[in-house]
Amino acid sequence: KDIEVGDFYFKRKNYKAALERYKEALDYKPGDAVASFRVAECQERLGDKTEARKFYEQYLRILPEGPYAKDAHSSLDRLAKSH
């Protein structure tokens, strides 16, 4: 449920509100791959590259071949280049 509400905020570019909901989802289900990926996306858009990197890496540990794996890898590449 928190992920659905987070997605609602994310689509409206309210990344702070979305981030809170995705983090709540992780409180209930710490190993949730989708919530981890979404937290990373929000953190990146909010300018927190360190946290974004951490959560993209967390997603890849949970689902190395998952549906967002390619996006997570390209985001990590982009974050590495922006340093």
Side-chain angles (χ1 to χ4, degrees), residues 1-3 5 17-30 35 39:
K1 187 82 187 141
D2 282 313
I3 291 177
V5 176
L19 179 63
E20 291 308 310
R21 298 317 290 257
Y22 295 139
K23 283 190 167 181
E24 280 179 34
L26 285 175
D27 287 342
Y28 290 109
K29 194 175 168 199
V39 166

Side-chain angles (χ1 to χ4, degrees), residues 37-81:
F37 183 79
R38 297 285 191 233
V39 166
E41 285 188 308
C42 289
Q43 295 287 21
E44 186 176 355
R45 286 189 166 85
L46 292 168
D48 191 337
K49 294 182 170 99
T50 305
E51 281 294 291
R53 192 174 298 112
K54 184 173 97 179
F55 281 96
Y56 283 129
E57 289 168 353
Q58 180 173 307
Y59 172 82
L60 290 169
R61 276 195 302 280
I62 300 164
L63 279 182
E65 303 295 320
Y68 302 115
K70 195 188 267 184
D71 291 336
H73 281 295
S74 60
S75 294
L76 284 168
D77 290 345
R78 185 175 57 249
L79 288 168
K81 287 178 186 141

